[in-house]
Amino acid sequence: MTHPLVYLYVTTARNGVRRFFARLRQPRRLVALVVTLGFVAFVAFGATRESSGFADATVDPAAVLRAYFGLMLVLAPLSGFAERGLTFSLAEVDFLFPGPFRARSLVLYHLARALPALMFGAALPLLLLGGRVPRPGIVWLGCALVSLIAQHLRVTASLFALHVGEPLYRRLRGPVRFVSVVGALVLVAVLASMVTDHGGLRGVLAGASDAPVARILLWPAVVVGDLATPDAPGGVAGPVLGLLAVALASLVPPLLLQVGFLEASITLSAKAAEIRQRLQRGRGVAAAAAVGSDRRVRAARAPTARLWRGAGAIAWKNALMARRSTRTIFFAAVMLLILFVPGLVTADASPALPLMMGALFPLFLAGSLPFDFRGETGHFAALKALPLPRWAVAAAEIVVPTAIVLGFQAIYGLAIAIAGGVAFGWVLLGWIALVPLTASMIAATNIATLAGSRGMGVLLLHLLFYAANAVLLAMVVGVVRAVGGGPGAVTAVLVLVQSGVLVGMVALLGIAFGSVDAAEDAPP
């Protein structure tokens, strides 16, 4: 990079750090950071403690790392080809593109901006594997170098796609995106296998990564796996230097490709900025990804049933939005099943464990189901003008996401029951108990959104509500069992108590909705 770009990169990074610490003066952000760091430390400590007790653990760190980074190396050029251009912020587009900067300098600047995220991403597998990995510092360095190689491959494919003619590119883009999505789901399955000792695709992927062809074509991933073995073949210095040489060599193609990427990058950057804005406004992944889509939306007929009148019309409108977002909902469901089912279908789990895991579904699906107040940006004035009580509007808004999550929880419970992990009766009782709990958590998400929280603020409220609710229910269960109540009585009392909590949450949500300034037509 030229000197002005180096100055811009360093200054931008320094100002970003200053803004981060300045925002910590707000108590909400400071508490959210403390809770997040505590959660990460808890996960790391739990993984380390669990691995220390497994002398014969079934998780092989070397095989898992080979499979994970091998898939990353395969998916990187595919995702880059589907992008066709480089993504910059709109401010960078306005400042850098008209400036006297060479194309190679802009490519280097783009790569440099991704370095912090790559370094953090390289530590994620080590965090999930816990203490199973020897020499974590050296292994992290190897993971970072492989991630850097994958980033170079992605940028090379993005620039190469500009050489492909438009008709051919349109025919190839669909299959490439499909393969990328399938590969991403498999990558999630590998991550899930790192923290489970049962099920998953770990055995198949481990065997595929050890194949002779894979060891040649995916040599960087193989080297990372070798570094994660107690006795690394070839030592440590040689493989690390080899990875560094490959990382430098992989930087040459994107710098040598002579292609005018500015025009395509302007369009791609504008689309990325619009997607970020839509996500920040709570439009959801499906609505955000529809930016620039030429897909036609058919008009829907208004229902005639009495159920969909009054507040029911709000639920019908949200159900229509959910029906038009089936692709996002499907992949969210697949990722949930990959994360939760493999570790339980063959484990000897108590009936309470699947119930507790299923109760977390609203937390993991919060970003994929904005069919409530989070998708009402621009419509709050119209909602307030409706001749309906605030609590009725609040209840109608949470119906659709609650129903979708309950459907996922039912599928999850059936999968466990069919696999023989938990009796069907326990699954049915657990699902009944989850109905008011799930609705309460969806209401908590909307309360946080209407209160002005975003991202970690919503996650913080979710975790606090989940913990407080768990303490309350544990006390109730203890009292019912102390008086000799059986499983049926416990479930009935839990449903009654949680229903009372749900009524209170809906009332609070109605109050939060009433506090939204209709003149601004958006949450604070």
Side-chain angles (χ1 to χ4, degrees):
M1 288 188 291
T2 57
H3 177 69
L5 291 181
V6 174
Y7 173 79
L8 177 64
Y9 177 80
V10 174
T11 304
T12 302
R14 184 175 64 246
N15 292 338
V17 173
R18 289 178 176 175
R19 284 196 302 270
F20 173 79
F21 285 103
R23 290 173 180 174
L24 293 182
R25 297 174 182 174
Q26 304 177 17
R28 183 184 62 192
R29 294 184 181 273
L30 179 61
V31 173
L33 176 64
V34 172
V35 172
T36 303
L37 294 178
F39 179 74
V40 172
F42 173 77
V43 172
F45 174 76
T48 304
R49 183 177 180 181
E50 178 187 0
S51 63
S52 63
F54 279 95
D56 55 345
T58 61
V59 175
D60 182 6
V64 171
L65 289 176
R66 290 190 193 106
Y68 177 76
F69 285 102
L71 281 170
M72 180 183 292
L73 292 174
V74 172
L75 292 176
L78 294 177
S79 62
F81 186 85
E83 274 188 355
R84 205 183 193 193
L86 304 181
T87 304
F88 295 84
S89 68
L90 294 183
E92 291 169 342
V93 169
D94 295 336
F95 179 75
L96 298 178
F97 284 20
F101 303 112
R102 295 179 300 175
R104 295 175 182 175
S105 299
L106 294 179
V107 172
L108 286 173
Y109 181 81
H110 173 80
L111 291 171
R113 288 173 61 250
L115 281 179
L118 290 179
M119 299 301 103
F120 176 80
L124 178 61
L126 303 184
L127 178 65
L128 295 178
L129 288 171
R132 297 182 177 94
V133 179
R135 300 180 298 275
I138 298 297
V139 176
W140 173 82
L141 180 59
C143 294
L145 290 174
V146 177
S147 301
L148 193 61
I149 295 170
Q151 177 72 356
H152 294 166
L153 294 177
R154 187 192 65 81
V155 172
T156 301
S158 297
L159 298 178
F160 176 77
L162 296 173
H163 282 287
V164 181
E166 188 66 25
L168 178 60
Y169 178 77
R170 288 186 176 181
R171 288 196 297 268
L172 294 176
R173 183 173 56 181
V176 168
R177 285 184 175 177
F178 175 77
V179 174
S180 300
V181 170
V182 173
L185 293 177
V186 176
L187 200 63
V188 173
V190 177
L191 283 175
S193 71
M194 293 182 185
V195 291
T196 59
D197 292 332
H198 303 278
L201 302 175
R202 184 174 60 242
V204 176
L205 295 173
S209 63
D210 288 334
V213 176
R215 294 186 68 87
I216 296 175
L217 298 179
L218 304 176
W219 181 82
V222 173
V223 170
V224 171
D226 293 340
L227 291 175
T229 57
D231 299 323
V236 173
V240 171
L241 291 177
L243 287 176
L244 179 60
V246 174
L248 294 176
S250 63
L251 182 60
V252 175
L255 297 181
L256 293 183
L257 279 174
Q258 298 296 325
V259 58
F261 61 87
L262 298 185
E263 183 177 354
S265 297
I266 291 174
T267 304
L268 185 64
S269 301
K271 181 178 179 180
E274 179 65 18
I275 289 175
R276 285 194 298 269
Q277 292 178 2
R278 291 194 175 196
L279 289 174
Q280 291 172 358
R281 294 197 299 263
R283 295 297 300 277
V285 179
V291 175
S293 174
D294 55 356
R295 178 177 142 189
R296 299 181 63 182
V297 179
R298 295 182 180 180
R301 276 186 170 186
T304 58
R306 296 179 61 88
L307 176 65
W308 304 116
R309 297 179 184 178
I314 299 175
W316 174 81
K317 183 264 299 178
N318 290 338
L320 180 63
M321 296 300 297
R323 190 178 68 183
R324 292 174 175 174
S325 305
T326 53
R327 182 182 303 177
T328 299
I329 295 175
F330 170 76
F331 284 116
V334 172
M335 294 185 69
L336 274 179
L337 295 177
I338 290 174
L339 285 171
F340 286 98
V341 172
L344 293 175
V345 293
T346 57
D348 296 329
S350 66
L353 180 59
L355 178 63
M356 295 173 60
M357 299 291 285
L360 290 174
F361 274 32
L363 177 62
F364 289 94
L365 288 171
S368 301
L369 304 177
F371 313 117
D372 43 34
F373 279 121
R374 292 168 292 171
E376 296 289 4
T377 300
H379 303 110
F380 281 90
L383 286 175
K384 287 197 168 218
L386 295 175
L388 296 171
R390 297 286 185 258
W391 65 265
V393 176
E397 287 285 359
I398 66 174
V399 166
V400 173
T402 300
I404 296 175
V405 175
L406 288 173
F408 289 154
Q409 290 168 336
I411 297 174
Y412 171 71
L414 286 175
I416 296 175
I418 293 173
V422 180
F424 179 78
W426 277 107
V427 171
L428 180 59
L429 290 176
W431 185 84
I432 293 174
L434 284 177
V435 172
L437 175 60
T438 299
S440 300
M441 294 190 72
I442 297 295
T445 301
N446 282 264
I447 292 173
T449 302
L450 293 180
S453 298
R454 295 291 187 273
M456 293 309 304
V458 175
L459 176 62
L460 172 62
L461 183 58
H462 252 138
L463 294 175
L464 291 178
F465 175 79
Y466 187 79
N469 202 78
V471 172
L472 173 63
L473 296 183
M475 294 172 60
V476 172
V477 170
V479 172
V480 175
R481 287 182 175 177
V483 298
V490 170
T491 303
V493 174
L494 286 179
V495 171
L496 290 176
V497 172
Q498 193 62 55
S499 298
V501 174
L502 174 60
V503 171
M505 295 298 293
V506 171
L508 287 176
L509 181 57
I511 295 173
F513 167 62
S515 67
V516 175
D517 189 356
E520 297 180 359
D521 206 22

